Amino acid sequence: VASDVYERSIDTVWNAAVMTSSIIHLTQFPRLGGNITIMYYDIYGAAYGNGKFVAVGYAGKIAYSTDGNTWYQAATPSFGTDIIYGVAYGNGKFVAVGYNGKIGYSTDEDTWVQAATPSFGTTIIYGAAYGNGKFVAVGDVGKIGFSID
């Protein structure tokens, strides 16, 4: 809950990126105060790689930034309006995962390609990670899958 975060951040100012239908807007919230607006588009995951941040979320939105302050919406996210729950970076690409078993990947953060996901079917994929030369994805009902590319 946002108010819990601010109560714990006594000596800092938090910045929150908020997705809208066309772009991500950055809003700065002062510690212990200020108005917090809950936006319709939630952000569920973020990753860093190749000098860029990538954030993913509700309604298939993907955005990227080189500095964490200025954000751009990906031109072709490949998820339609399905929620994207997680994103990971490894081996020169970002991999995003989400609702209906969808997995997408990108080497430039702007253009995304839908990947084949036979092991997940339409199961929700909640997260992804990269390590030891593999992407690993985890989903609903205990499903786990991996890919070397």
Side-chain angles (χ1 to χ4, degrees), residues 93-105:
K93 68 176 77 172
F94 285 93
V95 171
V97 298
Y99 194 74
N100 279 326
K102 289 187 177 177
I103 297 177
Y105 64 91

Side-chain angles (χ1 to χ4, degrees), residues 114-141:
Q114 183 97 24
T117 58
S119 61
F120 284 95
T122 58
T123 301
I124 297 171
I125 307 171
Y126 288 111
Y130 181 83
N132 202 25
K134 294 179 185 176
F135 284 97
V136 175
V138 295
D140 211 8
V141 297

Side-chain angles (χ1 to χ4, degrees), residues 49-88:
N50 196 28
K52 292 189 179 171
F53 296 96
V54 170
V56 298
Y58 193 80
K61 301 296 181 189
I62 299 175
Y64 60 93
S65 172
T66 57
D67 62 8
N69 187 42
T70 304
W71 291 85
Y72 304 94
Q73 185 172 340
T76 55
S78 82
F79 279 81
T81 58
D82 287 330
I83 297 170
I84 307 170
Y85 287 107
V87 62

Side-chain angles (χ1 to χ4, degrees), residues 16-77:
V18 181
M19 287 190 184
T20 67
S21 60
S22 61
I23 197 165
I24 286 188
H25 297 283
L26 186 76
T27 306
Q28 189 176 69
F29 299 117
R31 64 181 173 93
L32 297 175
N35 294 326
I36 298 172
T37 302
I38 298 172
M39 299 298 289
Y40 184 68
Y41 295 104
D42 294 330
I43 299 170
Y44 290 106
Y48 181 82
N50 196 28
K52 292 189 179 171
F53 296 96
V54 170
V56 298
Y58 193 80
K61 301 296 181 189
I62 299 175
Y64 60 93
S65 172
T66 57
D67 62 8
N69 187 42
T70 304
W71 291 85
Y72 304 94
Q73 185 172 340
T76 55

Side-chain angles (χ1 to χ4, degrees), residues 2-22:
S3 61
D4 293 337
V5 171
Y6 296 133
E7 289 173 5
R8 292 189 192 115
S9 60
I10 295 170
D11 295 323
T12 61
V13 173
W14 286 86
N15 291 309
V18 181
M19 287 190 184
T20 67
S21 60
S22 61

